[in-house]
Amino acid sequence: MTDVSIAVDMPTPQTHERAARASAGWPMLILALLCLLSPAALIPIGAGLAADGDGGAGAVLIAAGALLFLAALVVLTGLTAVAPGEARVIQLLGRYVGTVRTPGLRFVLPFTQKRKVSTRIRNHETDITKVNDADGNPIEMAAVVVWQVEDTAKAVFEVDDFVEFVAFQTETAVRHIAGSYPYDGHDDMLSLRQNADEITGRLSAEIQARVASAGVKVIESRVTRLAYAPEIAQAMLRRQQAGAVVAARQRIVDGAVGMVEAALARLDEHDVIELDEERKATMVSNLLVVLCGDRDVQPVVNTGSLYH
């Protein structure tokens, strides 16, 4: 059996996902709201004290209100909402800090960039690709791949657009697989039409090898269309029909020969009649005509002797 190895040279990723330090966000939100409301009380009180001649105490209260307001703003910049099936990739001044996957309101380092990445299962269906198979015959092939982001750090930092990357690599893998195997099998070689499960497995393996650098996991892939190109479809259909007819005829002949052998052996075993070689040949010929013919035969009754 001829095998086609899958060798895909992809760059080795340098960034791997790690969990970011994050805490519950609701307590920090309540703290931020309190810090926002406090200046509304402290600043007027401080202004009143300053007007009454107690400038030092008034200045302290005004400064405290301003600091609490700034603290509330700082706390609010660290809050982020994470929906189910999503993650947040956290960056601080361009440096990767970690990824938050826990759903809900979370608090991370303030002044960080929080990039949303979907971790839901997705699917991508390729366009109908016209390519030559291993025998040089033009065929049309399309496939669908089910995939999911497994490493958010690789998905964000190793490629520009991981969705587009998956689409292009899937198209490339489909073209490579289609050109590596013949449409119809011969000489125990894997074929696209007759070995669908094996071809699907190899397609999944090649796509996985190509998209691993983007932190993507291939869950499943399936061939959705496989056919000869229109310009040779009729000719290939006739060839398939001819092959089917030949195979059927061969099976009929094999069965007929077995039945003739069994009939001759039974006649010899029970001494029903003794036939010379010429009459045996005639009998074999007649039986083969009856058993292998595709039309009903008309019996002819011999009223003479065996030799006339």
Side-chain angles (χ1 to χ4, degrees):
M1 179 179 295
T2 302
D3 191 6
V4 178
S5 60
I6 300 173
V8 181
D9 296 328
M10 303 299 290
T12 303
Q14 301 297 325
T15 306
H16 298 275
E17 179 181 324
R18 61 178 180 270
R21 294 182 179 179
S23 59
W26 288 107
M28 301 304 294
L29 178 61
I30 294 174
L31 178 62
L33 293 177
L34 293 176
C35 292
L36 285 175
L37 295 175
S38 297
L42 293 177
I43 292 177
I45 294 174
L49 292 175
D52 293 338
D54 192 356
V60 170
L61 291 177
I62 293 175
L67 290 176
L68 288 174
F69 181 78
L70 293 176
L73 295 181
V74 171
V75 172
L76 289 176
T77 60
L79 292 175
T80 181
V82 182
E86 291 182 353
R88 292 291 186 274
V89 177
I90 311 300
Q91 289 179 263
L92 178 61
L93 302 177
R95 180 175 175 271
Y96 173 60
V97 176
T99 299
V100 179
R101 286 180 175 263
T102 306
L105 186 63
R106 309 298 293 172
F107 178 76
V108 296
L109 286 175
F111 303 111
T112 53
Q113 180 184 359
K114 309 164 189 68
R115 183 168 178 176
K116 180 174 67 175
V117 177
S118 175
T119 57
R120 299 183 180 94
I121 297 176
R122 313 186 192 187
N123 62 77
H124 170 73
E125 185 172 6
T126 66
D127 296 330
I128 297 177
T129 302
K130 186 175 181 180
V131 65
N132 291 337
D133 67 355
D135 292 335
N137 300 317
I139 63 173
E140 293 180 345
M141 187 173 178
V144 61
V145 57
V146 181
W147 60 278
Q148 184 181 30
V149 173
E150 187 176 37
D151 191 312
T152 57
K154 295 180 185 178
V156 172
F157 301 115
E158 296 298 330
V159 294
D160 288 334
D161 187 338
F162 63 89
V163 176
E164 184 177 308
F165 183 79
V166 171
F168 277 112
Q169 294 301 325
T170 301
E171 296 276 355
T172 304
V174 169
R175 288 182 176 274
H176 180 259
I177 289 294
S180 300
Y181 301 95
Y183 183 89
D184 284 314
H186 52 83
D187 298 332
D188 295 332
M189 177 183 290
L190 290 179
S191 66
L192 299 174
R193 185 173 66 90
Q194 298 173 348
N195 304 98
D197 293 338
E198 292 86 346
I199 297 301
T200 297
R202 299 188 180 205
L203 177 62
S204 298
E206 178 159 351
I207 297 175
Q208 180 62 69
R210 291 178 178 275
V211 301
S213 59
V216 172
K217 177 181 67 175
V218 175
I219 299 174
E220 183 186 15
S221 67
R222 289 289 175 185
V223 175
T224 57
R225 176 177 174 82
L226 180 63
Y228 282 113
E231 58 266 25
I232 67 166
Q234 292 298 326
M236 291 302 175
L237 178 59
R238 289 194 295 270
R239 190 183 76 171
Q240 292 177 1
Q241 291 174 343
V245 171
V246 171
R249 286 294 180 184
Q250 182 177 2
R251 190 165 185 177
I252 291 173
V253 170
D254 291 341
V257 170
M259 294 174 67
V260 170
E261 290 177 348
L264 293 176
R266 180 68 66 85
L267 291 174
D268 290 339
E269 180 181 354
H270 295 282
D271 294 328
V272 175
I273 188 174
E274 293 185 3
L275 298 175
D276 57 18
E277 295 301 324
E278 181 181 356
R279 292 306 173 184
K280 283 185 179 180
T282 302
M283 181 179 178
V284 169
S285 176
N286 292 336
L287 287 175
L288 288 178
V289 169
V290 172
L291 295 174
C292 298
D294 56 355
R295 296 181 182 179
D296 295 335
V297 296
Q298 297 295 328
V300 176
V301 178
N302 184 11
T303 59
S305 65
L306 185 62
Y307 294 92
H308 294 88

